[in-house]
């Protein structure tokens, strides 16, 4: 009888499960669905709840942890089958130990799934995601994620908490470094590329990871860029800006997991938000993976003021569709009671567990819980030469040339009299960025080491960036007064023909919980720059930073500026290759660079206002003390080549496929690459549309003195928008089109959609 029930249940659930899913997504194989049902039917309520519980290991913590680490409790729970997943377990040895605890002691021996923040590499680090986004090179980004997956999987990890696909517009927010910047179109393409890179074609391969699209939703819109702050946004922005990357991650890339967010959405914490998780994600989009909470975000429903105690938070989160609890201890403590009391239905528990077990089966963990645990593979693959090559390629492509007056760059191979100044030039840690948990400190190639392969130079740090005094045992305070090294630096600069200054933020000044109210070049570095400029104007400024910086003085005075972000393990080689012209810069900004912090949030795809200007009158949208435009706009970036755009042709004869063609010519003597960008503006619509929206781009390589015609097609997918109910609409009317080299520089035309 029981057997028949299981089969019927399996058939029914397979039917229900599949009927609401879009046809094009990969269907888990039927074998797995049946195995999941069979296992589920053998599980007690406590064991089911256990699968929904995730603990952090003791190796490192990535959120506020209980002071005693709850070690004893965690061990006990692992052995009793009350833990479904661990995070922050580092290395095969540790993974095996935890897996053993669960598999060999618990009644059903269900394997753990091991998650980790594999954000831009694991041992070998690629550039921070914001930098990678500047490459606009989807294949390189996919490959970078693939490398990250290979190394993390070799260390026993099965699941990454990446990609972060939050759209981010405020440079004050520390986590802009982890996303793809301000644009939903670019962010969507990159999100899909990253998920594909992590997950590959076969989740059960020992070289791939389950990916996690995070954070659903709106975390990137924290008010005033302050971490963990309130978010208050329109549904128009939610559907048109915030959700598209998530929708694509689910529908196009079949992402296996989604993480919810710390922030509220429409007054409801995302973690307890049924509209986001049940209606949109699992309902409208047919997401068939599972939802993980953010660290402690279930418990934080109480802090937000929507629950009176931990038990209520568990009820709200489970009912709202949060499938797994990261470090809140809410589910494991209260969920079984809530079911007994009828406050959460067991169906909802079953649904969550079914989702979690399915991913575990797909990863192959039931076939062999230790399949990711192989010390030899671990040794062979970490820092593998192919990986070093891939992240070097990615790093070169991520650099953005912001200014190059008088073609100061590239430097000649036989350039003499080079002075290098700035403590970041010798820093082997900061280029690794903030998310370097899985890697090793001081393993980046420094700029000095990169330059070593090209030239001789003199070096002075000029000033320390930080004082060495720690705050919260983690962050270093910034040196705002000690200028004792200036003299040495200025003397070197005086005697040099050219000065390379490496300035910016250290690695821990961006990332989670690293919001800033000042986004200029921090500490005494600006003064150092000005002091050196007094004696030598031939300065190449290399910026190292995890967010857009406001650098108006440098932009006005310094002849050459290179945005080198935090480029990961191969950082110094990539910078040197650019400075000496071995690689021709091809990056374009994925976020606008403001003139001053007061302009934040500043982004290119803003809404028109009733008084947009620009008119030289008082009563128009403007500042009285600052220009309204950014210092460097979205999509901007120079090359050592010169590109010319001509012959914009719009063919709207086929209204379902409007063709826009443009001729791009490399009019210089240098081979180069250009990102050709297409923007539209829906002139008058039923809701206000942004002044410009990126709707296509192509990165092309053009030999010196050659041309290429680039053609874009605009279909309903590009021309429509979501109304405030989330329904997609394509409306007739006039559209302006711009095709060019950045969001502010291109050829324009228009067409009518009938
Ligand atoms: C908190 C962060 O918001 C999230 O992105 C991360 O994955 C978790 N901590 C786990 O480290």
């Amino acid at each position: 009888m029981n057997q028949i029930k299981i089969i019927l249940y399996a058939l029914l659930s397979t039917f229900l499960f599949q009927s609401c899913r879009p046809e094009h997504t990969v269907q888990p194989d039927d074998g797995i669905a049946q195995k999941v049902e069979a296992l589920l039917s053998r599980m007690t309520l406590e064991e089911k709840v256990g699968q929904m519980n995730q603990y952090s290991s003791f190796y490192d913590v990535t959120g506020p942890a209980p002071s005693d680490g709850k070690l004893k409790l965690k061990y006990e729970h692992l052995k009793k089958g009350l833990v479904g997943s661990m995070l922050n377990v580092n290395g095969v040895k540790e993974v095996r130990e935890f897996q053993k605890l669960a598999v060999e002691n618990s009644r059903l021996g269900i394997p753990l799934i091991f998650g980790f923040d594999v954000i831009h590499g694991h041992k070998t680090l690629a550039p921070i995601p914001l930098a990678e986004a500047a490459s606009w090179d989807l294949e390189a980004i996919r490959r970078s994620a693939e490398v990250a997956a290979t190394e993390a999987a070799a260390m026993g990890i099965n699941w990454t908490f990446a990609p972060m696909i939050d759209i981010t517009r405020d440079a004050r927010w520390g986590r802009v470094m982890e996303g793809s910047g301000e644009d939903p179109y670019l962010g969507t393409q990159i999100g899909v590329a990253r998920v594909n890179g992590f997950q590959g074609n076969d989740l059960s391969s020992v070289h791939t990871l389950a990916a996690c699209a995070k954070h659903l939703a709106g975390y990137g819109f924290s008010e005033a860029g302050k971490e963990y702050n309130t978010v208050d946004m329109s549904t128009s922005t939610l559907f048109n800006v915030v959700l598209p990357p998530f929708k694509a991650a689910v529908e196009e890339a079949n992402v296996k997991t989604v993480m919810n967010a710390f922030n509220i959405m429409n007054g409801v914490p995302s973690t307890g938000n049924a509209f986001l998780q049940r209606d949109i994600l699992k309902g409208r989009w047919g997401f068939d993976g599972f939802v993980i909470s953010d660290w402690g975000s279930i418990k934080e429903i109480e802090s937000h003021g929507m629950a009176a105690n931990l038990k209520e938070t568990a009820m709200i989160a489970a009912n709202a569709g949060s499938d797994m609890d990261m470090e809140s201890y809410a589910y494991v403590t209260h969920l079984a009671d809530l079911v007994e009391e009828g406050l959460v239905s067991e169906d909802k528990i079953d649904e969550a567990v079914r989702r979690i077990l399915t991913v575990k089966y797909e990863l192959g963990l039931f076939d062999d819980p230790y399949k990711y645990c192989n010390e030899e593979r671990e040794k062979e693959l970490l820092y593998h030469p192919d990986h070093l090559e891939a992240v070097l390629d990615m790093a070169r492509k991520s650099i953005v040339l912001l200014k190059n007056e008088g073609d100061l760059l590239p430097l000649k191979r036989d350039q003499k009299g080079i002075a290098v100044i700035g403590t970041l030039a010798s820093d082997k840690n900061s280029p690794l960025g903030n998310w370097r948990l899985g890697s090793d400190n001081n393993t980046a190639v420094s700029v000095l080491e990169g330059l070593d392969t090209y030239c001789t130079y003199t070096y002075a740090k000029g000033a320390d960036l930080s004082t060495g005094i720690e705050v919260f045992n983690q962050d270093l305070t910034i040196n705002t007064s000690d200028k004792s090294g200036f003299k040495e630096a200025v003397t070197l600069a005086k005697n040099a023909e050219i000065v390379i200054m490496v300035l910016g933020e250290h690695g821990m000044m961006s990332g989670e919980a690293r919001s800033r109210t000042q986004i200029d070049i921090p500490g005494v570095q600006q003064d150092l720059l000005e002091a050196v400029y007094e004696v030598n104007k031939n300065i190449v400024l290399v910026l190292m930073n995890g967010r857009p910086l406001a650098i108006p003085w440098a932009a006005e005075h310094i002849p050459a500026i290179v945005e080198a972000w935090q480029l990961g393990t191969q950082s110094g080689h990539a910078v040197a290759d650019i400075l000496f012209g071995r690689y021709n810069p091809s990056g374009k900004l994925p976020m606008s660079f403001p003139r001053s912090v007061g302009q934040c949030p500043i982004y290119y795809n803003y809404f028109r206002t009733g008084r947009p200007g620009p008119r030289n009158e008082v009563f128009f949208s403007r500042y009285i003390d600052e220009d309204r435009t950014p210092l460097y706009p979205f999509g901007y970036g120079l090359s050592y080549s010169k590109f010319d755009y001509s012959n914009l042709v719009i063919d709207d004869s086929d209204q379902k496929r409007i063709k826009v063609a443009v001729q791009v010519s490399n009019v210089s003597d240098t081979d180069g690459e250009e990102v050709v960008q297409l923007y539209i503006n829906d002139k008058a619509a039923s809701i206000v549309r942004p002044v410009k929206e990126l709707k296509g781009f192509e990165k092309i390589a053009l030999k010196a003195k050659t041309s290429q015609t680039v053609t874009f097609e605009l279909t309903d997918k590009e021309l429509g928008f979501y109304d405030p109910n989330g329904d997609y609409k394509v409306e007739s009317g006039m559209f302006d089109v711009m095709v060019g080299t950045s969001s502010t520089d291109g050829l324009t035309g228009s067409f009518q959609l009938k």
Side-chain angles (χ1 to χ4, degrees):
M1 177 62 197
N2 217 13
Q3 201 70 9
I4 296 172
K5 244 165 120 185
I6 295 169
I7 293 169
L8 280 178
Y9 197 170
L11 287 174
L12 184 67
S13 66
T14 313
F15 171 73
L16 287 174
F17 205 34
Q18 294 188 346
S19 59
C20 61
R21 221 183 357 232
E23 274 170 28
H24 53 274
T25 58
V26 179
Q27 315 284 319
D29 83 66
D30 289 346
I32 289 184
Q34 279 171 15
K35 286 176 196 161
V36 167
E37 293 312 321
L39 179 55
L40 197 59
S41 69
R42 293 169 56 212
M43 294 170 76
T44 64
L45 179 57
E46 280 71 22
E47 286 165 340
K48 290 178 188 172
V49 168
Q51 287 304 303
M52 299 168 71
N53 182 32
Q54 185 190 55
Y55 286 144
S56 178
S57 93
F58 332 118
Y59 157 76
D60 213 331
V61 290
T62 45
S67 52
D68 63 354
K70 291 214 191 285
L71 296 194
K72 212 165 140 248
L73 180 96
K74 286 180 181 176
Y75 273 113
E76 271 169 23
H77 283 183
L78 278 161
K79 290 203 248 173
K80 281 193 197 152
L82 296 182
V83 185
S85 172
M86 295 287 297
L87 80 150
N88 291 334
V89 182
N90 204 21
V92 161
K93 191 166 163 285
E94 264 194 56
V95 168
R96 185 183 282 109
E97 277 166 20
F98 279 110
Q99 192 67 291
K100 248 176 128 174
L101 273 178
V103 169
E104 293 182 14
N105 294 284
S106 64
R107 189 179 72 92
L108 293 169
I110 300 176
L112 300 166
I113 174 173
F114 291 88
F116 206 100
D117 289 286
V118 184
I119 306 297
H120 54 107
H122 203 52
K123 281 284 176 198
T124 308
L125 292 180
I128 57 170
L130 184 66
E132 286 195 352
S135 72
W136 298 51
D137 187 325
L138 300 175
E139 173 48 25
I141 292 171
R142 186 207 61 78
R143 170 76 183 128
S144 169
E146 182 178 61
V147 165
T150 305
E151 291 200 2
M155 288 187 77
I157 306 302
N158 328 120
W159 171 27
T160 173
F161 305 127
M164 185 184 105
I165 50 178
D166 296 304
I167 299 303
T168 66
R169 291 172 165 176
D170 196 324
R172 291 170 295 182
W173 193 47
R175 285 192 94 163
V176 301
M177 57 80 69
E178 201 180 333
S180 300
E182 72 194 33
D183 183 63
Y185 183 87
L186 180 63
T188 296
Q189 315 278 326
I190 291 176
V192 167
R194 286 206 169 111
V195 173
N196 287 337
F198 288 129
Q199 295 192 164
N201 298 324
D202 176 10
L203 209 58
S204 73
S205 153
V206 289
H207 301 306
T208 57
L209 302 174
C212 179
K214 71 187 189 186
H215 306 83
L216 192 76
Y219 181 35
F221 281 68
S222 290
E223 271 182 8
K226 190 175 76 175
E227 186 63 294
Y228 313 129
N229 203 10
T230 289
V231 169
D232 202 354
M233 71 166 61
S234 67
T235 45
S236 160
T237 299
L238 176 67
F239 283 113
N240 289 295
V241 179
V242 170
L243 293 183
F246 289 91
K247 185 170 189 288
V250 171
E251 294 184 349
E252 290 171 33
N254 193 22
V255 70
K256 287 292 153 188
T257 72
V258 168
M259 187 182 289
N260 55 36
F262 292 124
N263 58 279
I264 59 170
M265 177 58 64
N266 211 11
V268 178
S270 298
T271 307
N273 199 310
F275 173 67
L276 288 175
Q277 297 173 115
R278 288 214 184 272
D279 298 358
I280 305 274
L281 176 67
K282 294 178 177 175
R284 284 191 211 187
W285 301 344
F287 172 64
D288 58 14
F290 68 88
V291 178
I292 172 82
S293 82
D294 204 341
W295 181 293
S297 68
I298 295 183
K299 180 173 71 185
E300 289 171 17
I301 295 176
E302 183 184 350
S303 318
H304 278 292
M306 210 181 105
N309 51 45
L310 190 67
K311 188 169 176 183
E312 267 185 41
T313 69
M315 178 187 74
I316 292 168
N319 282 331
S322 284
D323 299 313
M324 191 182 273
D325 171 358
M326 181 193 289
E327 277 283 321
S328 277
Y329 307 89
Y331 283 2
V332 73
T333 317
H334 297 294
L335 214 43
D337 289 345
L338 285 161
V339 173
E340 302 295 347
E341 291 161 26
L343 293 168
V344 175
S345 72
E346 190 155 355
D347 283 353
K348 288 213 170 90
I349 306 292
D350 285 352
E351 183 223 302
V353 177
R354 193 175 285 128
R355 289 169 179 274
I356 294 163
L357 293 178
T358 301
V359 175
K360 289 187 179 184
Y361 270 109
E362 288 175 343
L363 284 163
L365 290 168
F366 281 97
D367 298 331
D368 176 4
Y370 305 103
K371 66 181 283 192
Y372 293 83
C373 299
N374 178 324
E375 273 87 355
E376 269 165 37
R377 192 168 54 231
E378 183 177 41
K379 222 160 124 197
E380 181 201 331
L381 289 176
L382 302 184
Y383 295 121
H384 192 283
D386 290 353
H387 301 171
L388 291 169
E389 189 51 46
V391 300
L392 175 59
D393 176 58
M394 187 74 257
R396 290 175 180 143
K397 288 175 170 163
S398 303
I399 292 172
V400 184
L401 180 63
L402 295 177
K403 188 175 173 190
N404 194 18
E405 211 171 72
D407 291 335
L408 188 58
L409 290 174
L411 302 175
K412 311 255 166 338
R413 298 280 174 126
D414 57 359
Q415 176 72 51
K416 297 272 174 314
I418 298 178
V420 184
I421 293 170
T423 187
L424 284 172
S426 62
D427 195 332
K428 292 173 67 61
N429 229 359
S430 289
L432 300 177
N434 177 309
W435 280 119
R436 66 174 91 129
L437 267 184
S439 190
D440 302 300
N441 284 332
N442 293 308
T443 47
V445 175
S446 70
V447 172
L448 291 185
E449 288 167 334
L451 291 174
D452 282 340
T453 60
Y454 282 97
C455 60
T456 53
Y457 52 82
T458 53
Y459 172 63
K461 68 178 177 185
D464 284 320
L465 177 46
S466 49
T467 59
I469 301 168
E470 286 190 357
V471 202
F472 304 133
N473 298 326
Q474 275 199 16
D475 293 337
L476 294 170
T477 45
I478 296 303
N479 167 27
T480 52
S481 57
D482 181 4
K483 299 182 179 179
S484 55
F486 275 31
K487 201 164 158 219
E488 185 196 359
V490 168
T491 309
L492 281 194
K494 208 185 264 176
N495 299 321
E497 280 179 35
I498 194 141
V499 186
I500 299 171
M501 294 194 70
V502 187
L503 306 178
E505 299 180 310
H506 70 64
M508 290 294 156
M509 290 182 76
S510 59
E512 186 176 348
R514 271 73 175 197
S515 295
R516 292 179 64 200
T517 60
Q518 305 297 323
I519 54 165
D520 45 10
I521 300 174
V524 296
Q525 295 179 102
Q526 176 67 32
D527 292 347
L528 179 64
L529 180 62
E530 292 181 27
V532 169
Y533 181 79
E534 281 290 303
V535 298
N536 192 335
K537 300 197 170 10
N538 259 349
I539 297 176
V540 175
L541 172 60
V542 176
L543 291 171
M544 209 182 264
N545 43 292
R547 55 159 59 76
L549 294 179
I551 49 159
W553 188 91
E556 193 184 334
H557 295 91
I558 303 302
I561 307 178
V562 174
E563 176 51 76
W565 316 102
Q566 290 150 350
L567 294 172
T569 305
Q570 295 277 45
S571 183
H573 287 318
V575 171
D577 287 350
I578 291 275
L579 295 184
F580 282 90
R582 178 163 172 209
Y583 186 84
N584 187 352
S586 62
K588 303 276 187 176
L589 294 180
M591 268 186 95
S592 308
F593 272 42
R595 294 173 190 277
S596 61
V597 70
Q599 288 184 317
C600 290
I602 186 166
Y603 47 96
Y604 85 94
N605 45 357
Y606 55 89
F607 290 125
R608 278 174 292 195
T609 65
R611 298 186 181 187
R615 259 175 66 175
N616 213 8
E617 289 176 28
V618 172
F619 298 107
F620 281 85
S621 176
R622 62 179 193 126
Y623 298 104
I624 60 169
D625 59 354
E626 186 61 278
D627 202 284
R628 72 186 94 202
T629 60
L631 187 58
Y632 296 114
F634 174 82
Y636 170 84
L638 303 173
S639 160
Y640 297 148
S641 311
K642 299 271 173 291
F643 299 104
D644 187 44
Y645 283 68
S646 59
N647 296 342
L648 180 75
V649 178
I650 302 176
D651 174 1
D652 62 0
S653 54
D654 178 355
Q655 287 270 305
K656 285 284 157 209
R657 280 176 200 287
I658 306 229
K659 291 195 179 57
V660 182
V662 73
Q663 185 174 322
V664 186
S665 308
N666 181 348
V667 293
S668 71
D669 295 325
T670 311
D671 299 350
E673 285 172 281
E674 166 73 332
V675 181
V676 184
Q677 302 160 42
L678 177 142
Y679 297 84
I680 62 162
N681 171 227
D682 187 344
K683 302 275 288 175
S686 55
I687 59 169
V688 174
R689 305 301 304 132
V691 288
K692 262 173 213 165
E693 293 176 88
L694 180 73
K695 289 295 176 182
F697 65 87
E698 197 175 324
K699 191 164 189 172
I700 56 168
L702 271 185
K703 295 258 177 236
K705 305 280 189 229
T706 62
S707 301
Q708 184 180 326
T709 298
V710 177
T711 306
F712 297 95
E713 271 189 8
L714 294 172
T715 65
D716 284 358
K717 196 171 175 208
E718 288 78 31
L719 297 174
F721 57 86
Y722 291 93
D723 71 12
N725 297 319
D727 294 325
Y728 195 72
K729 288 193 164 165
V730 183
E731 293 180 347
S732 55
M734 286 302 293
F735 285 79
D736 282 344
V737 180
M738 187 188 84
V739 183
T741 187
S742 80
S743 62
T744 56
D745 185 0
L747 302 177
T748 54
S750 55
F751 65 88
Q752 179 150 24
L753 204 59
K754 291 166 194 141

